[in-house]
Amino acid sequence: MKSFVLAAGVATLMTGTALAQTSTTTTTGGTMAPAATTTTTPATAAAGGPFYTVQAPASGQMAMSHLASDLDDKDVYGANNEKIGEIEDFVINSDGTVAAAVIEVGGFLGIGEKDVLVNFSELQMAMDGNNMRISAPTLTREALTSAPDTDLDTVFPDHD
């Protein structure tokens, strides 16, 4: 699982973009001049080299890139604003994109749980105070519990 978490972290960093916005307004003779153009700078590979650069988010802003290890075991909330499961792992395509989140659903104290693959595009991340909240606004607990179980050990034989 750790290799998938590491791969998910790398893929998340590869697909995410950190944006830095700058805007200036100048005052001349008591009147406000229009703001300068706003520029966005995505975090990318440094000067075309092998290293990646990520900028820390501004105070109160959500980061545009995340470590997969920070998302592991995060609760996922559904259409009714209820907890519908938690992130267990990620499925990474061979091109480095995150295809799906493995959501652990159902059960009690580890008994009767199952893993459901949810398209990563169905998840939304937003700040809730100082914490990140992950939502799947089109899903309900019933939809996940009735979805097919995925045996990760069968689908991914090298899975830890």
Side-chain angles (χ1 to χ4, degrees):
M1 177 171 143
K2 293 300 177 193
S3 62
F4 279 110
V5 170
L6 178 59
V10 171
T12 300
L13 289 175
M14 289 174 52
T15 60
T17 55
L19 301 177
Q21 297 185 348
T22 58
S23 177
T24 58
T25 304
T26 57
T27 305
T28 53
T31 61
M32 296 288 281
T37 58
T38 300
T39 59
T40 56
T41 309
T44 58
F51 302 104
Y52 189 81
T53 303
V54 176
Q55 297 175 353
S59 179
Q61 299 294 314
M62 186 173 79
M64 297 302 290
S65 298
H66 308 280
L67 294 175
S69 58
D70 291 340
L71 301 176
D72 187 30
D73 294 329
K74 279 272 194 201
D75 292 338
V76 179
Y77 296 87
N80 301 329
N81 203 28
E82 67 177 331
K83 179 183 169 190
I84 59 174
E86 68 181 39
I87 293 180
E88 180 65 21
D89 214 331
F90 297 93
V91 177
I92 311 299
N93 288 328
S94 60
D95 66 359
T97 58
V98 180
V102 179
I103 308 267
E104 190 175 72
V105 64
F108 181 71
L109 297 175
I111 299 170
E113 295 173 339
K114 70 177 185 176
D115 293 325
V116 176
L117 300 180
V118 174
N119 283 326
F120 192 71
S121 62
E122 292 294 317
L123 301 181
Q124 296 177 356
M125 297 176 204
M127 292 302 290
D128 183 15
N130 290 329
N131 299 312
M132 183 186 1
R133 182 177 172 99
I134 301 174
S135 301
T138 63
L139 296 176
T140 62
R141 184 180 306 197
E142 293 77 28
L144 282 180
T145 55
S146 64
D149 184 9
T150 300
D151 182 1
L152 297 178
D153 294 326
T154 301
V155 178
F156 303 102
D158 294 333
H159 174 65
D160 292 335

